[in-house]
Amino acid sequence: MSSKMQSSNNIAQARRTVQQLRIEANIERIKVSKASADLMNYCSEHAKYDPLLMGIPASENPFKDKKPCTIL
Amino acid sequence: MCDQTFLAITFGPCDNCSQNKPLMNIYLKNEPINYCSLCVELMACQGLAKGETIHTLKAESETLKGKLEEERAKLHDVELHQVAEKIEALGQFVMKTRRTLKGHGNKVLCMDWCRDKRRIVSSSQDGKVIVWDAYTTNKEHAVTMPCTWVMACAYAPSGCAVACGGLDNKCSVYPLSLDKNENLAAKKKSVAMHTNYLSSCSFTNSDMQILTSSGDGTCALWDVESGQLLQSFHGHSADVLSLNLAPSETGNTFVSGGCDKKANVWDMRSGQNVQSFETHESDINSVKYYPSGDAFATGSDDATCRLYDLRADREVAIYSKESIIFGASSVDFSLSGRLLFAGYNDYTINVWDVLKGTRVAILFGHENRVSTVRVSPDGTAFCSGSWDNTLRIWA
């Protein structure tokens, strides 16, 4: 690339960075306390459907070996 | 070859910068020209506005960065783990290796689950891509790629095809046939073309589109049937190592992480980089969305995993310990998002409590670096692949 191309590229790159930062600076944000509360709510609502969290009985987990049945 | 002739229209030397890249065919003053998408954007920015010099632009970018930091700091009223103090701590976890999948002749680099919750595709350094039945540990299909270091593989949502790629700079799709004797390599379709290695690939919600990330610093969205480039994503200043699509309910975005220590969130339709996070101290190896789509986690060579909230626009948690000094290569969430599974280069997998920020379990078993960790679609188990040539299913 010629040096003229490079300097116009530098300006173009700098302008892109500025435009990108303007976009990022203008987005709407919420407080961390609200965001954290939402994450926690999601976890508690879905916790009961999470097999790795709750642990499911071996009979329902295709990967766990089923214990042999004993006949009393 | 038919494939290459077709691709010549959309891939080749750019008229402007002469680099071999995916091209956009545009018209300037009724003349058709082929510019790479980077040059198209640069062209749109050419010409100085009044009073603009490189210095004023640089100064403005510094003030904007400062303003961003200020805005983010204003909303930082509390830490996630403080809010999480009131919930119950998790009990002891007992997770063991339930299946070991042996068959690869060399390091396992990537794996993906099928939506049927039992099939797995994995790829390795020796160029082999194997489809396994995780319940029985049987191998169902095996393909040998023409290149080594197959770093990316993905299962199609329908379960009828797999995509893979690596040092060949391409992403190829292999339709899986029920006939075990059929030569899968014959039906291979080359979809994506990058100018450097393929680091990660993922089907979107259908078998028709694939999203790829590459060592050339870009991500791209491709149409599988035609091989056409639908959208390209520029913004990383170094290799992009990982990408993850937002859970379908939350819309058309994806997150990517790379060697420039940045994690970027992109709008798939416009190609726009909507948010960017740079708090890691080294390469980001893996990115994964939180199940609700409001946050994402990253694993990095700086030995930490971090959680970034998209609506608060900042990092909200760091998962690290002084005793952990090796990089995290791969992360994934459990179904509810309460647990974060992270595979590390010290051969272990650490399980973190996402909300409290503490480690709840450390899993030993692999005899070399853990390169990939994925939870199954129904959350009953997770699979890890390692440089010790095996994959393990834990539950």
Side-chain angles (χ1 to χ4, degrees), chain B residues 255-383:
Chain B
V255 61
S256 66
C259 293
D260 55 358
K261 312 176 203 168
K262 288 208 280 199
N264 290 337
V265 181
W266 308 84
D267 178 317
M268 275 187 355
R269 278 168 299 198
S270 64
Q272 177 73 38
N273 175 3
V274 295
Q275 279 172 283
S276 183
F277 302 89
E278 193 172 355
T279 61
H280 268 293
E281 293 160 20
S282 186
D283 302 359
I284 296 180
N285 294 317
S286 175
V287 291
K288 199 82 210 298
Y289 266 96
Y290 188 79
S292 70
D294 288 332
F296 67 91
T298 54
S300 160
D301 275 348
D302 65 5
T304 67
C305 297
R306 294 175 198 232
L307 186 69
Y308 297 89
D309 189 293
L310 293 172
R311 295 179 309 152
D313 190 38
R314 62 171 299 121
E315 173 192 296
V316 293
I318 305 186
Y319 307 102
S320 66
K321 263 179 138 41
E322 278 196 25
S323 51
I324 302 178
I325 54 172
F326 283 84
S329 58
S330 181
V331 296
D332 201 359
F333 284 102
S334 70
L335 227 53
S336 65
R338 184 69 193 270
L339 298 175
L340 180 71
F341 299 97
Y344 289 77
N345 293 340
D346 61 3
Y347 314 177
T348 66
I349 297 170
N350 287 308
V351 186
W352 300 89
D353 179 333
V354 171
L355 302 175
K356 290 189 183 276
T358 54
R359 181 172 66 184
V360 296
I362 176 168
L363 304 173
F364 298 95
H366 278 295
E367 293 161 18
N368 206 324
R369 286 194 192 190
V370 178
S371 52
T372 175
V373 168
R374 293 271 191 128
V375 173
S376 76
D378 59 354
T380 49
F382 71 92
C383 180

Side-chain angles (χ1 to χ4, degrees), chain A residues 1 5 7-40 42-44 46-54 56 60-65, chain B residues 16 38 41-42 45 47-49 52 54 57 60-61 64-65 68 71 75-78 80 83-84 90 93 98-99 134-135 272-273 275-276 290-292 309 311-314 334-338 341 355 378-381 393 395:
Chain A
M1 279 197 274
M5 169 79 120
S7 64
S8 76
N9 267 350
N10 280 344
I11 289 170
Q13 297 277 35
R15 186 177 293 137
R16 274 177 90 212
T17 317
V18 167
Q19 277 172 345
Q20 179 63 32
L21 286 170
R22 275 192 201 136
I23 293 171
E24 286 181 28
N26 286 335
I27 62 174
E28 285 199 15
R29 293 177 190 81
I30 64 172
K31 287 197 176 175
V32 175
S33 48
K34 169 100 177 49
S36 310
D38 288 346
L39 289 176
M40 275 172 45
Y42 187 91
C43 273
S44 35
H46 290 81
K48 48 184 179 288
Y49 305 117
D50 188 345
L52 284 168
L53 187 65
M54 297 281 104
I56 55 176
E60 286 175 35
N61 190 329
F63 293 108
K64 287 192 180 159
D65 298 316
Chain B
N16 193 29
L38 187 60
E41 287 197 52
L42 288 177
C45 300
L48 288 171
E52 242 183 39
I54 190 97
L57 284 174
E60 191 178 352
S61 91
L64 279 172
K65 278 189 193 155
L68 251 181
E71 291 291 317
L75 297 163
H76 189 198
D77 51 350
V78 76
L80 173 62
V83 177
L90 297 170
F93 275 93
R98 304 289 173 176
R99 301 278 191 281
Y135 291 178
Q272 177 73 38
N273 175 3
Q275 279 172 283
S276 183
Y290 188 79
S292 70
D309 189 293
R311 295 179 309 152
D313 190 38
R314 62 171 299 121
S334 70
L335 227 53
S336 65
R338 184 69 193 270
F341 299 97
L355 302 175
D378 59 354
T380 49
I393 315 259

Side-chain angles (χ1 to χ4, degrees), chain B residues 375-395:
Chain B
V375 173
S376 76
D378 59 354
T380 49
F382 71 92
C383 180
S384 58
S386 160
W387 282 18
D388 67 4
N389 307 0
T390 68
L391 293 115
R392 281 170 186 251
I393 315 259
W394 307 77

Side-chain angles (χ1 to χ4, degrees), chain B residues 89-326:
Chain B
L90 297 170
Q92 273 288 25
F93 275 93
V94 176
M95 268 178 235
K96 293 196 287 192
T97 303
R98 304 289 173 176
R99 301 278 191 281
T100 306
L101 305 178
K102 295 189 194 183
H104 276 292
N106 214 320
K107 309 176 172 66
V108 176
L109 301 175
C110 185
M111 56 93 30
D112 192 18
W113 288 88
C114 177
R115 284 191 188 180
D116 69 1
K117 310 160 216 156
R118 76 185 271 175
R119 284 182 180 77
I120 287 181
V121 62
S122 61
S123 62
S124 78
Q125 183 196 339
D126 61 1
K128 288 243 178 2
V129 174
I130 301 181
V131 177
W132 314 77
D133 177 337
Y135 291 178
T136 61
T137 76
N138 287 338
K139 300 180 202 30
E140 297 201 340
H141 298 94
V143 179
T144 305
M145 293 275 286
C147 67
T148 56
W149 287 91
V150 187
M151 292 173 249
C153 64
Y155 227 118
S158 66
C160 299
V162 291
C164 48
L167 284 186
D168 57 350
N169 300 357
K170 296 195 276 207
C171 184
S172 311
V173 175
Y174 292 87
L176 297 174
S177 73
L178 291 168
D179 177 2
K180 304 276 169 77
N181 293 329
E182 193 164 352
N183 182 9
L184 288 182
K187 295 247 179 99
K188 159 178 156 174
K189 195 192 252 295
S190 270
V191 175
M193 272 278 229
H194 278 280
T195 51
N196 208 329
Y197 65 89
L198 192 85
S199 53
S200 181
C201 64
S202 173
F203 282 87
T204 59
N205 281 329
S206 75
D207 282 18
M208 293 292 99
Q209 294 182 350
I210 285 195
L211 195 54
T212 57
S213 67
S214 165
D216 64 12
T218 67
C219 300
L221 181 66
W222 309 83
D223 176 87
V224 174
E225 197 54 49
S226 60
Q228 185 90 357
L229 172 68
L230 299 171
Q231 185 64 262
S232 72
F233 305 91
H234 298 272
H236 279 286
S237 45
D239 304 16
V240 184
L241 296 180
S242 175
L243 61 82
N244 186 233
L245 278 147
S248 34
E249 309 82 47
T250 50
N252 296 328
T253 60
F254 73 94
V255 61
S256 66
C259 293
D260 55 358
K261 312 176 203 168
K262 288 208 280 199
N264 290 337
V265 181
W266 308 84
D267 178 317
M268 275 187 355
R269 278 168 299 198
S270 64
Q272 177 73 38
N273 175 3
V274 295
Q275 279 172 283
S276 183
F277 302 89
E278 193 172 355
T279 61
H280 268 293
E281 293 160 20
S282 186
D283 302 359
I284 296 180
N285 294 317
S286 175
V287 291
K288 199 82 210 298
Y289 266 96
Y290 188 79
S292 70
D294 288 332
F296 67 91
T298 54
S300 160
D301 275 348
D302 65 5
T304 67
C305 297
R306 294 175 198 232
L307 186 69
Y308 297 89
D309 189 293
L310 293 172
R311 295 179 309 152
D313 190 38
R314 62 171 299 121
E315 173 192 296
V316 293
I318 305 186
Y319 307 102
S320 66
K321 263 179 138 41
E322 278 196 25
S323 51
I324 302 178
I325 54 172
F326 283 84

